[in-house]
Amino acid sequence: QSNGTHQCIYVRHFSPAGPGAESILYGTGTTDSANPTIAFDSSGNAFATWIQGGAVYEAHYSASAGTWSAPVNLATNSNTAYAPSLSVDGSGDAVVAWIQSNGTNPVVYTTVYSASAGTWSTASAIESGQAALPAAGGVVVTSIAGSYAVVNWLQVNGSSNWLYQSTYSSGAWNAPTEVDSYTAVTQAGVAIDSRGHVSNVYQVIGGANNSTS
């Protein structure tokens, strides 16, 4: 919603007692904000993320205090970012992934939040291929469960999109693997459990029929 100058991020919290007042979560800077996402843990604490130019902002809501923190920029460079994805588990651990140029080509960046430490890891690229990455929202998806996390993304291969994945365990991201290389993959989804088991769902477009795996 515009504040009269540029698009800002607004927030309004609802509870069983009724809705709270609307407020601007972020309304500074000179460029539009976009792609807001929000997720809660099991205690009612929330994380919100959004894109503004070359920044990937995050703020979190404290259920006990009833207030939002000041936004922090998770990105480590100022190149234009897009397609952010946020996931939060029941304990308050979180993962954010997005696409951003490393100065040469667009790559997938990610950062992990530790609820026990109360800090975000330094954003790092989990793939560095030369292939193009689609810019539309939803081409990057995430999931987290305790010490395990996963990021899936679509990557252009010739005339189609292939699906790739990187998993997080023992405090580090593993090398990307190819999930599928059908003629065209779209609408990817992913989930991980507390044992590190991953399930993928995605739509395959090709020939006369569409299929979901």
Side-chain angles (χ1 to χ4, degrees):
Q1 182 174 320
S2 175
N3 65 357
T5 304
H6 53 269
Q7 298 297 318
C8 301
I9 301 299
Y10 286 77
V11 65
R12 191 177 189 185
H13 187 70
F14 289 78
S15 73
E22 180 184 81
S23 61
I24 296 180
L25 189 60
Y26 192 74
T28 63
T30 58
T31 58
D32 289 342
S33 300
N35 303 119
T37 57
I38 191 168
F40 281 84
D41 66 17
S42 61
S43 298
N45 304 301
F47 290 79
T49 60
W50 62 93
I51 296 291
Q52 186 176 24
V56 180
Y57 284 105
E58 178 274 334
H60 46 270
Y61 174 83
S62 168
S64 59
T67 57
W68 285 90
S69 69
V72 295
N73 182 11
L74 302 177
T76 55
N77 70 54
S78 58
N79 297 318
T80 300
Y82 50 95
S85 175
L86 163 70
S87 291
V88 179
D89 69 13
S91 300
D93 301 301
V95 59
V96 178
W98 64 93
I99 298 173
Q100 190 172 29
S101 175
N102 61 5
T104 303
N105 53 277
V107 299
V108 179
Y109 283 88
T110 188
T111 176
V112 175
Y113 180 83
S114 167
S116 59
T119 57
W120 289 94
S121 64
T122 301
S124 60
I126 57 174
E127 68 86 31
S128 57
Q130 299 297 314
L133 297 171
V139 300
V140 178
V141 291
T142 56
S143 180
I144 188 169
S147 60
Y148 296 100
V150 61
V151 177
N152 281 15
W153 65 92
L154 299 181
Q155 192 160 311
V156 177
N157 191 305
S159 60
S160 62
N161 293 331
W162 289 11
L163 181 61
Y164 289 84
Q165 178 179 99
S166 178
T167 55
Y168 179 86
S169 60
S170 300
W173 287 98
N174 300 305
T177 58
E178 181 186 299
V179 177
D180 231 320
S181 56
Y182 284 100
T183 302
V185 176
T186 186
Q187 296 181 354
V190 67
I192 194 168
D193 68 17
S194 59
R195 297 174 296 171
H197 298 168
V198 177
S199 292
N200 300 288
V201 61
Y202 48 94
Q203 185 178 20
V204 176
I205 301 175
N209 301 305
N210 296 342
S211 63
T212 301
S213 298

